[in-house]
Amino acid sequence: MADRAPLLEGGWQGENVDVAEVKAALVRSLRALTSHERSGSPHPPIRASLLNRIVRIAGSWDEVRSREALDELAELHPSRTITVETRPEEATGLDARVSIRCRLREGGEPLVCFEEVHLRARGELAAHLASVVAPLLIPEMPVVLWHLGTIPSGDDELVRLSDRIVVDSDAVGPAGLDAILWLMEQHCPNKIVTDIAWAGIATWRELLARLFDPTDARPYQRLVDRLAVRFIGGAPTTRPILMVGFVASSLGWVPVPGDTKDAAGSTYGFRTATGTALAELVQLPPAGLLRPGELLSVSLQAGQGEEAAYFAVALHEDGSCATLRSALPGRPERTITVPMGRPAWAASLSGELDRRRADTAYRACLEAVVRCMGGPGLKGTAAPTSSGGGTRGRGGDQGETR
Amino acid sequence: MTEGTEDLQNLFRAGTGGQRISPPCAVVIFGASGDLTSRKLVPALYDLSLAGLLPAELAVVGVARRPLRDAEFRDRLRDAAERHSRGAPLNPRTWESFASSITYFSGDLADPATYQGLKRRLEEIDTQRGTAGNRLYYLATPPSFFPVIVHRLGEAGLNVGGQPGAFARIVVEKPFGRDLASARELNRQLWEAFGEEQIFRIDHYLGKETVQNILAFRFANRLWEPVWNSEHVDHVQITVAESIGIEGRGAYYEEAGAFRDVIENHMLQLLALVAMEPPINFSADAVRDETGKVLKALRPLSPSEVGEWTVRGQYEAGWIDGRPVPAYRSEPNVSPDSTTETFAALRLFIDNWRWAGTPFYLRHGKRMPARLTEVAIQFKPAPHMPFSGHDTAALEPNLLVLRIQPDEGITLRFGAKVPGMAMRIRSVNMDFLYGSSFLTPSPEAYERLLLDCLLGDHTLFTRADAVEASWRFSMSILEGWRSTHEPPHPYPAGTWGPAPAEALLERDNRRWRRR
């Protein structure tokens, strides 16, 4: 979004305030910023809201990270955003900051405005967040909870208040994936749970799928017996293992618990309809413009010897595009290079937010991942011990790909 | 390995409902050295490839008379894509990957040998690039070449796919004839070589997102359909105004005029979408059956009605955006005593149950004060007003405006109480801008339409019966004008047309929304 339209900003902030004051400030700020006089337009600019977004902040690092993500996404999903941080150790009270931001069209006239309310709940109030958040939601609009630094527990007040939950498994690492599965299964059976890391590999999943759109490539899907995912190390990430889970669950592979791993990565075994398959995660050191955790390539091999077929998606060094290659026996190699722009991330997450039904592919992927990391995968197990990505004490960081 | 694989699912797309990705295909563009190819078609194909909607097994073959090497052709297209692609500035790697699919084939379009050579080239491409024998022919030439290209394609056996089960489709650009007889003749010529299901008559207007949104607005909402009829609608105004002149197209425009250029095709298609009955589904034939019914229900005008309910205009010199602009008759390649209209307005009726008695006013002109396309649905006043006349003096009947361009969106005008002690009511506007709820850029019309051609989806393309129905209605007006020999009314550039266009609505006690 390098050429994003400029912003006009206005707002208010106060300490030790009550919710009524925040609501009044919201109305006042919106009026001031979008007044006819200020906009110079015969009609006030549009205040667009497609949803309410609650962002639960765990710390300052997360605030920056979510802010960046929200800015990008605001282009696609204008919303009222309520960010919430807690300071239980401080004296009870509420601090608030209201900001209204308007995208400007050419010539500087406001095109669309959306608002952000930042709340800091201190002391006892930290345990009663719904009481301050609920009155600030726009009625009749869906409520999305972004819980970015940790995986929320099922009895979280904000989870109950929300229609869908957005988590970022990258922030908790592979060991936190079973907590997400637990949340989906036990606490949010009727809510849609979206994982930013999963949305982040949407382009990769799509490109992998494209390799098999030609009808002559499809028979080889059932014959795939080798998967390699290469990625940049240096930071916690779930993307490589989610990619393995996606391939495994799509192709009907059954995980065989117990993996091998060394400094360079991990290997996972599977049973397939035609025999066995091996998935390999290969970690490479950070280099160039690519960020830690980013996928570098996904390659598949179907069969052995002269009858083998090969499929690969490989990112270019500067991350700007990827080349898709497929080589089928007796046919010319197919190659195409496609862009891998940064906006794809926001676009794919936006697509996830447009989803009105649970993502069965994500769920199947999670089950496969949890099972291949040694867990039972589904019901009938004890709850995860921690919302911070705690596992059930089976294997610890077994699935860590760092 | 490939036997019986058509039914195999792509397992990586399970549960996603699939993706609208083109099948392998060779796109053959006749008139490849022309403006349309470089300004619209190739940038659109490149943008589709960037969006991941084209397969690796796609080839673009440019066909034109002048000799050109592949590399020269690609360089020329690269420059054009740099100027006209939404993906500009071009990424060298993605462009090179796309450009590797482009080749050039030089030949005389009337010479049978050209088509034999093209056939061999396409067979080579099938082998080299895996295009599977699928062909999409795009006629980007002047209309006078259409018959010979179609005939030669059929003669060379290029009117069928290059392999068993493969497709061959042909895309025809407007104008689809210049009157009913020539439209019928063009259809006949097309049918000699191609079946109707192979033919895509492209009207880029229908590829615009906001035109398609008329369907979404009408048929995805419960609110509008109950009042979308003559019981509640007083009248409908459709305006397509352009501030530009004829932009160097003097020779073409002298032959066409405003009516043939825009009203007969774009505006009647727009009218059909606004007035159609709900289709039973969104399949091509279901939608085109309903739009076709509207066009067939247009009441032709008698010669006397043409005099009374239509207006022709021609712009004189004037000022637009602070700049002086010349008169139409002073434009290059325009006769100094030309009687071609650059403006037309008319009143028409749709003779069906829904619209009986509701007038539709259409207006299109060049060199008007602003570029503007909109459909305004003017509702009747409330049947009973419980407020005093004084309190509602500033109240106007409800109005719904579908803005196609610019500022795509919808405006609804309704009455609201003015704050204060008295019960005074005033009209207010509720505006919706697409740009505010969907900040993602829309695809260009040609992207959408080219992809539809590759996918074989006819929904946004004009069927032969609709083309003929449009001309049948239009001929009543064109023949009326021809018989009177009256010159068009002059209007200064930068105005909303000649005075008689105002009088046309005033006779019905109405007025144009923008004037």
Side-chain angles (χ1 to χ4, degrees):
Chain A
M1 296 269 171
D3 55 352
R4 206 183 291 162
L7 276 174
L8 181 68
E9 296 199 65
W12 165 93
Q13 60 182 351
E15 293 182 359
N16 281 315
V17 295
D18 62 25
V19 174
E21 284 177 84
V22 180
K23 286 180 81 169
L26 200 50
V27 173
R28 222 171 34 241
S29 304
L30 195 62
R31 276 203 186 136
L33 199 62
T34 63
S35 66
H36 295 209
E37 296 75 26
R38 183 152 185 187
S39 71
S41 163
H43 303 296
I46 310 296
R47 174 178 152 254
S49 286
L50 301 181
L51 46 85
N52 292 288
R53 186 182 352 251
I54 306 170
V55 183
R56 183 73 169 86
I57 294 172
S60 58
W61 178 83
D62 282 311
E63 183 173 9
V64 173
R65 183 185 166 101
S66 60
R67 186 64 190 261
E68 183 189 328
L70 289 168
D71 272 2
E72 206 166 331
L73 202 62
E75 302 284 330
L76 305 164
H77 277 262
S79 62
R80 171 174 289 181
T81 299
I82 303 171
T83 55
V84 185
E85 68 172 288
T86 51
R87 301 277 174 87
E89 69 285 3
E90 295 184 11
T92 298
L94 178 68
D95 306 329
R97 189 174 67 236
V98 169
S99 52
I100 311 291
R101 299 189 295 156
C102 300
R103 288 266 167 248
L104 303 181
R105 76 169 84 197
E106 264 179 63
E109 189 181 322
L111 169 67
V112 54
C113 299
F114 34 94
E115 57 258 25
E116 189 177 315
V117 180
H118 183 89
L119 301 175
R120 187 188 298 128
R122 292 181 276 106
E124 280 184 60
L125 193 53
H128 303 283
L129 294 177
S131 70
V132 291
V133 171
L136 296 172
L137 299 173
I138 303 171
E140 310 298 330
M141 289 284 176
V143 180
V144 179
L145 170 65
W146 287 47
H147 210 286
L148 299 179
T150 57
I151 308 303
S153 66
D155 55 1
D156 187 304
E157 277 195 347
L158 297 181
V159 167
R160 286 207 300 271
L161 202 62
S162 307
D163 300 302
R164 62 190 306 159
I165 323 292
V166 178
V167 296
D168 185 0
S169 64
D170 258 354
V172 294
L177 291 174
D178 66 344
I180 299 176
L181 190 58
W182 178 261
L183 181 74
M184 291 166 79
E185 176 66 23
Q186 299 297 322
H187 294 286
C188 304
N190 300 317
K191 296 180 182 184
I192 301 171
V193 177
T194 298
D195 182 353
I196 292 176
W198 172 253
I201 61 166
T203 308
W204 285 89
R205 288 184 276 131
E206 165 58 27
L207 295 180
L208 195 62
R210 281 186 65 186
L211 291 171
F212 294 92
D213 278 331
T215 50
D216 59 357
R218 289 184 201 169
Y220 291 98
Q221 284 188 307
R222 292 286 184 201
L223 302 177
V224 171
D225 53 11
R226 186 94 194 182
L227 161 68
V229 179
R230 291 178 178 77
F231 67 101
I232 301 275
T237 181
T238 55
R239 294 173 194 223
I241 193 73
L242 287 175
M243 200 68 213
V244 171
F246 170 65
V247 172
S249 56
S250 299
L251 301 183
W253 293 358
V254 179
V256 179
D259 63 303
T260 60
K261 67 173 198 162
D262 56 33
S266 306
T267 308
Y268 300 93
F270 297 87
R271 278 200 318 276
T272 71
T274 54
T276 60
L278 212 59
E280 191 183 5
L281 294 182
V282 183
Q283 176 181 258
L284 297 171
L289 299 169
L290 302 179
R291 294 185 300 196
E294 206 149 1
L295 300 190
L296 293 171
S297 70
V298 177
S299 42
L300 302 174
Q301 181 180 329
Q304 304 292 324
E306 288 185 357
E307 287 304 303
Y310 301 89
F311 305 86
V313 181
L315 193 66
H316 287 223
E317 280 173 4
D318 62 358
S320 67
C321 40
T323 294
L324 282 64
R325 286 182 204 283
S326 54
L328 308 185
R331 292 181 182 265
E333 184 177 281
R334 295 167 185 160
T335 301
I336 188 169
T337 299
V338 298
M340 290 281 277
R342 290 274 296 132
W345 178 88
S348 55
L349 188 54
S350 168
E352 289 291 323
L353 291 178
D354 282 334
R355 189 187 285 281
R356 289 290 172 261
R357 280 183 294 186
D359 185 347
T360 51
Y362 177 57
R363 190 195 172 92
C365 165
L366 270 190
E367 287 178 359
V369 169
V370 170
R371 288 182 66 181
C372 75
M373 291 195 308
L378 267 179
K379 301 174 184 177
T381 57
T385 52
S386 146
S387 66
T391 61
R392 296 161 220 175
R394 38 159 210 274
D397 69 345
Q398 205 170 30
E400 291 287 349
T401 52
R402 324 185 262 288
Chain B
M1 186 56 77
T2 56
E3 295 297 317
T5 59
E6 290 78 9
D7 297 334
L8 277 181
Q9 250 200 332
N10 182 344
L11 298 172
F12 292 128
R13 294 199 186 283
T16 63
Q19 168 78 307
R20 277 172 56 90
I21 292 179
S22 156
C25 187
V27 179
V28 182
I29 303 175
F30 291 96
S33 54
D35 222 28
L36 183 67
T37 304
S38 52
R39 288 173 67 94
K40 296 291 182 186
L41 301 182
V42 169
L45 286 168
Y46 176 61
D47 288 338
L48 283 172
S49 81
L50 290 186
L53 299 174
L54 298 183
E57 302 82 0
L58 188 101
V60 179
V61 184
V63 183
R65 174 192 282 270
R66 81 180 62 159
L68 213 58
R69 288 199 302 273
D70 286 350
E72 288 174 298
F73 185 53
R74 288 173 187 165
D75 286 348
R76 186 176 292 189
L77 295 180
R78 183 191 174 111
D79 291 345
E82 195 70 78
R83 284 199 303 278
H84 302 294
S85 159
R86 291 196 297 131
L90 305 187
N91 177 317
R93 290 186 185 130
T94 52
W95 171 259
E96 286 308 320
S97 171
F98 173 72
S100 68
S101 71
I102 301 174
T103 54
Y104 185 80
F105 188 84
S106 166
D108 178 350
L109 296 181
D111 185 354
T114 300
Y115 297 82
Q116 291 303 332
L118 179 63
K119 189 174 187 179
R120 285 191 296 276
R121 171 71 72 86
L122 290 173
E123 284 165 358
E124 287 165 16
I125 287 173
D126 282 341
T127 309
Q128 290 160 2
R129 293 199 63 92
T131 41
N134 293 322
R135 322 273 188 244
L136 180 71
Y137 304 109
Y138 202 112
L139 305 190
T141 62
S144 55
F145 284 95
F146 292 176
V148 70
I149 297 172
V150 170
H151 178 72
R152 295 285 181 237
L153 284 171
E155 195 178 61
L158 286 165
N159 55 340
V160 294
Q163 292 174 11
F167 63 76
R169 300 179 183 137
I170 188 160
V171 188
V172 189
E173 272 280 341
K174 84 169 183 81
F176 313 125
R178 67 178 318 279
D179 53 27
L180 180 58
S182 58
R184 282 178 170 156
E185 177 60 15
L186 177 59
N187 281 338
R188 190 191 61 73
Q189 287 160 342
L190 284 166
W191 290 332
E192 274 186 5
F194 294 90
E196 181 66 20
E197 75 286 354
Q198 293 175 279
I199 301 168
F200 290 74
R201 296 177 191 81
I202 198 165
D203 180 341
H204 73 272
Y205 232 65
L206 296 184
K208 288 179 185 288
E209 289 273 305
T210 42
V211 171
Q212 294 164 46
N213 195 60
I214 293 173
L215 294 173
F217 182 75
R218 286 193 59 199
F219 303 127
N221 295 295
R222 180 144 189 169
L223 204 54
W224 312 113
E225 273 314 288
V227 295
W228 208 266
N229 52 53
S230 57
E231 178 71 21
H232 298 279
V233 174
D234 178 74
H235 72 279
V236 177
Q237 293 182 19
I238 304 180
T239 297
V240 176
E242 294 174 14
S243 58
I244 58 170
I246 53 172
E247 304 295 294
R249 296 189 305 152
Y252 160 76
Y253 208 84
E254 278 284 88
E255 286 293 309
F259 191 92
R260 283 190 175 90
D261 187 42
V262 169
I263 296 180
E264 185 277 329
N265 38 70
H266 298 328
M267 289 189 78
L268 291 186
Q269 288 295 327
L270 203 53
L271 169 80
L273 294 176
V274 170
M276 69 191 279
E277 297 298 317
I280 55 168
N281 56 40
F282 204 58
S283 69
D285 273 337
V287 172
R288 298 194 302 173
D289 282 349
E290 299 305 337
T291 52
K293 283 180 196 168
V294 174
L295 297 170
K296 288 167 193 165
L298 296 178
R299 186 193 304 168
L301 277 69
S302 67
S304 67
E305 287 171 326
V306 171
E308 192 173 1
W309 295 110
T310 70
V311 174
R312 297 171 74 223
Q314 189 186 74
Y315 64 82
E316 297 184 309
W319 288 74
I320 295 178
D321 293 337
R323 286 184 300 110
V325 296
Y328 174 70
R329 291 179 180 183
S330 306
E331 300 272 14
N333 300 319
V334 170
S335 163
D337 53 1
S338 169
T339 57
T340 299
E341 82 280 358
T342 62
F343 172 96
L346 65 136
R347 186 188 77 171
L348 63 81
F349 287 95
I350 300 169
D351 284 337
N352 65 14
W353 193 299
R354 182 189 287 260
W355 294 114
T358 302
F360 286 71
Y361 300 97
L362 275 55
R363 175 175 60 160
H364 161 64
K366 295 278 188 192
R367 290 288 190 216
M368 299 183 85
R371 171 175 166 261
L372 167 82
T373 299
E374 67 171 34
V375 178
I377 317 287
Q378 176 68 66
F379 290 91
K380 293 178 177 174
H384 170 68
M385 194 61 69
F387 312 102
S388 76
H390 178 263
D391 291 341
T392 57
L395 180 66
E396 295 176 85
N398 296 131
L399 173 77
L400 179 70
V401 182
L402 312 175
R403 290 189 307 278
I404 310 297
Q405 63 185 16
D407 296 338
E408 295 85 348
I410 289 160
T411 295
L412 179 64
R413 185 174 70 199
F414 56 90
K417 182 182 177 301
V418 178
M421 300 303 166
M423 190 61 192
R424 285 180 47 227
I425 297 168
R426 193 181 77 187
S427 289
V428 293
N429 279 357
M430 185 161 71
D431 282 334
F432 164 72
L433 281 173
Y434 281 105
S436 65
S437 283
F438 307 103
L439 300 184
T440 39
S442 298
E444 283 291 314
Y446 274 96
E447 289 173 50
R448 168 65 198 259
L449 295 173
L450 275 168
L451 183 61
D452 282 353
C453 292
L454 289 162
L455 291 166
D457 183 346
H458 277 93
T459 308
L460 300 176
F461 296 84
T462 315
R463 208 166 55 188
D465 59 337
V467 169
E468 293 187 12
S470 291
W471 277 117
R472 202 171 294 118
F473 166 75
S474 299
M475 292 316 292
S476 69
I477 295 170
L478 291 169
E479 282 169 0
W481 286 345
R482 196 177 54 188
S483 63
T484 62
H485 300 291
E486 277 189 23
H489 300 280
Y491 64 96
T495 66
W496 289 101
E502 299 293 330
L504 188 148
L505 262 72
E506 283 165 6
R507 282 202 294 281
D508 280 345
N509 292 318
R510 298 183 176 108
R511 58 183 186 165
W512 292 106
R513 229 177 70 74
R514 307 252 188 173
R515 59 201 185 106

